[in-house]
Amino acid sequence: MRIAFAGTPTFAATVLEGLLASEHEVGLVISQPDSRRGRGRKTTPTPVAELAARSGCELRQPGRIGEAAGEIGDYDSLVVAAYGQILRADTLGASPRGAWNVHASLLPAYRGAAPVERAIMAGEDTTGVTIMRMTEGLDTGPFILRREIGLGPQTTGGELTAALAGLGAEAIVEALDLVEAGSAEPEEQDESRASHAAKISPEERFVDWRLDARRVHDHIRALSPHIGARATHPDVEGPVKLLGSRVAEAGGLAPGEIFSDKRRILVGCGSDSIEILGLQLPGSKALTAAEFLVGNRLEGGFSV
């Protein structure tokens, strides 16, 4: 089939790579406008835009995807992966064989913007990807494929995102093969099992040390490394990013209280403690705990 593709971050670029390597023809690629970042406000292309340019695909970066609905209609199907905008009816219905979304959860669980982070925060040991036909509801359309993947107790948000992107790249090609052959059998989602994965708010980036150690650890790894969980310390100007942890199962420390020696940093939680494996101070580079403890110390406690 001839495909139009819409996506923005690295997750979407991985899915696009899978489509480009398949028998399907990707003609049009749509991504969000390039952003301006850093002190010099330099324009940075999105990962999908960068891949499209390297691959020689036609690239459009409209302010609203509806501006490209007419062009999308020239293709058999539209594939969407982490594009970052709500698609309206004119865009969803533009292609004769429909719009298909690669969603990073086993729908109807974790509908919304942050399915990877929310699944890890909830302590899930299984998640996956779903290929669904898009409707105007939030991830409510019927699905034709779901592929499952396991999570380890140390799996981070970054690691899971990469794994799901690869799985999604395989699944969307398989799904499009079914659509092309006329053998796809869409299945309605079970609304009684639906849950919502809202975008991570700025406030949610900060660790609540009153929670038990397992939940604190899940919070830190869910946001690592792309967002970074935060903690405040009275001796540090600005938030400290916590980029890795593990449950220490050691008592005796109050919530937020720090114990450090030359080898490790422990922080008390509502029950037990966690060991901080990686951190980043404002204006500094990310370091392992061992690297940080060479010439630095954290004493006292994080704010609760």
Side-chain angles (χ1 to χ4, degrees):
M1 286 195 296
R2 298 181 68 245
I3 305 299
F5 178 84
T8 299
T10 301
F11 176 92
T14 300
V15 174
L16 177 56
E17 284 179 335
L19 288 169
L20 290 169
S22 74
E23 297 297 318
H24 301 287
E25 176 189 346
V26 180
L28 175 65
V29 174
I30 304 165
S31 192
Q32 295 273 36
D34 295 339
S35 60
R36 292 185 178 274
R37 296 180 180 176
R39 294 179 181 177
R41 305 298 292 165
K42 182 179 179 181
T43 299
T44 304
T46 72
V48 164
E50 192 173 22
L51 176 58
R54 291 201 313 266
S55 304
C57 296
E58 180 183 353
L59 174 66
R60 291 272 280 113
Q61 294 178 274
R64 300 297 303 174
I65 192 171
E67 298 171 32
E71 296 163 74
I72 292 169
D74 294 333
Y75 294 85
D76 298 317
S77 287
L78 170 66
V79 172
V80 180
Y83 177 64
Q85 287 184 15
I86 299 295
L87 275 63
R88 306 301 180 190
D90 59 341
T91 306
L92 294 173
S95 297
R97 290 193 156 182
W100 302 92
N101 180 243
V102 183
H103 187 74
S105 80
L106 297 173
L107 291 172
Y110 301 108
R111 293 171 174 171
V116 170
E117 294 83 0
R118 297 296 180 185
I120 295 176
M121 284 181 175
E124 300 282 7
D125 56 16
T126 302
T127 186
V129 294
T130 301
I131 310 299
M132 67 161 192
R133 184 157 191 162
M134 298 181 73
T135 63
E136 287 192 83
L138 179 64
D139 300 326
T140 56
F143 64 90
I144 55 174
L145 273 182
R146 290 194 297 185
R147 292 290 178 264
E148 189 174 294
I149 192 171
L151 286 74
Q154 294 294 126
T155 301
T156 66
E159 291 167 345
L160 182 56
T161 297
L164 291 175
L167 190 62
E170 297 173 0
I172 187 60
V173 172
E174 184 178 349
L176 290 176
D177 289 344
L178 293 173
V179 173
E180 186 174 36
S183 55
E185 297 181 359
E187 181 179 340
E188 296 296 330
Q189 297 183 37
D190 182 353
E191 291 296 323
S192 68
R193 299 175 58 199
S195 60
H196 186 55
K199 183 179 179 179
I200 304 297
S201 68
E203 295 78 16
E204 287 182 293
R205 297 179 183 185
F206 286 85
V207 171
D208 184 350
W209 298 107
R210 297 167 297 182
L211 300 176
D212 66 72
R214 180 79 238 179
R215 290 187 63 188
V216 170
H217 168 63
D218 289 342
H219 185 111
I220 292 171
R221 69 189 181 100
L223 304 186
S224 177
H226 53 307
I227 297 174
R230 268 82 160 170
T232 56
H233 191 283
D235 296 335
V236 180
E237 186 176 348
V240 178
K241 282 188 179 182
L242 307 176
L243 301 175
S245 64
R246 63 181 166 218
V247 176
E249 297 181 353
L253 294 175
E257 184 181 356
I258 297 170
F259 168 83
S260 66
D261 54 25
K262 294 182 179 180
R263 299 180 300 107
R264 60 180 184 163
I265 301 170
L266 299 179
V267 186
C269 302
S271 64
D272 296 320
S273 303
I274 64 162
E275 180 179 353
I276 301 297
L277 303 178
L279 69 166
Q280 184 176 11
L281 269 59
S284 301
K285 65 179 182 180
L287 299 170
T288 65
E291 290 170 337
F292 174 82
L293 289 169
V294 177
N296 297 284
R297 289 189 68 83
L298 271 179
E299 299 179 334
F302 290 116
S303 302
V304 177

